[in-house]
């Protein structure tokens, strides 16, 4: 590095999200706190120390919806890292998808106030960049 160059560091947070699809529906959670309190989002959250994003995705799905899936049921959709995708700072998420033959009962937990199956053709406005993640997941399933 030359004396005219400067380094810039930013804190990057690591998260995982899940697009769970069943019979033309997707499972969404209603966020219980900011950012986007009261808005609908994909189940997901922070990757804990010592955890992979895959393990975090399965854990967050269970914590927020009560639905337990083996990690082998999840397939990676992609990494979403656009600056500004989260108003709290720089967040990088790895998104996963799984398909169930039919919707199963979901119960909100952790930071979710509701967990509901929404028809793919009648979705509410989604928090963060979750609409883009959902489009990528549905496109990859086709």
């Amino acid at each position: 590095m030359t004396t005219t160059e400067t380094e810039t560091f930013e804190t990057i947070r690591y998260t995982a999200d899940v697009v769970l699809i069943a019979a033309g529906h997707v499972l969404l959670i209603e966020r219980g706190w900011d950012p986007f309190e009261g808005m609908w989002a994909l189940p997901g959250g922070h990757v804990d120390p010592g955890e992979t994003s895959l393990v975090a995705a399965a854990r967050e799905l269970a914590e927020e919806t009560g639905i337990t899936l083996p990690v082998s049921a999840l397939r990676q959709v992609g990494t979403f890292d656009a600056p500004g995708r989260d108003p709290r700072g720089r967040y990088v998420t790895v998104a996963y998808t799984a398909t169930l033959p039919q919707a199963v009962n979901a119960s909100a937990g952790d930071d979710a106030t509701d967990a509901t199956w929404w028809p793919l053709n009648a979705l509410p406005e989604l928090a963060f960049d979750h609409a883009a993640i959902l489009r990528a997941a549905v496109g990859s399933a086709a």
Side-chain angles (χ1 to χ4, degrees), residues 8-80:
T8 303
F9 296 96
E10 67 180 324
T11 300
I12 299 175
R13 292 164 185 89
Y14 187 30
T15 60
D17 292 304
V18 178
V19 180
L20 186 58
I21 297 171
H25 290 71
V26 64
L27 184 62
L28 300 176
I29 58 129
E30 185 177 29
R31 289 186 52 82
W33 58 57
D34 279 329
F36 303 111
E37 180 178 2
M39 286 189 69
W40 293 94
L42 298 168
H46 292 95
V47 176
D48 288 343
E51 195 175 46
T52 66
S53 61
L54 178 60
V55 170
R59 177 184 51 76
E60 286 287 344
L61 178 66
E63 288 175 0
E64 293 184 342
T65 70
I67 296 173
T68 303
L69 290 181
V71 295
S72 61
L74 297 170
R75 184 175 47 82
Q76 190 175 122
V77 173
T79 302
F80 297 80

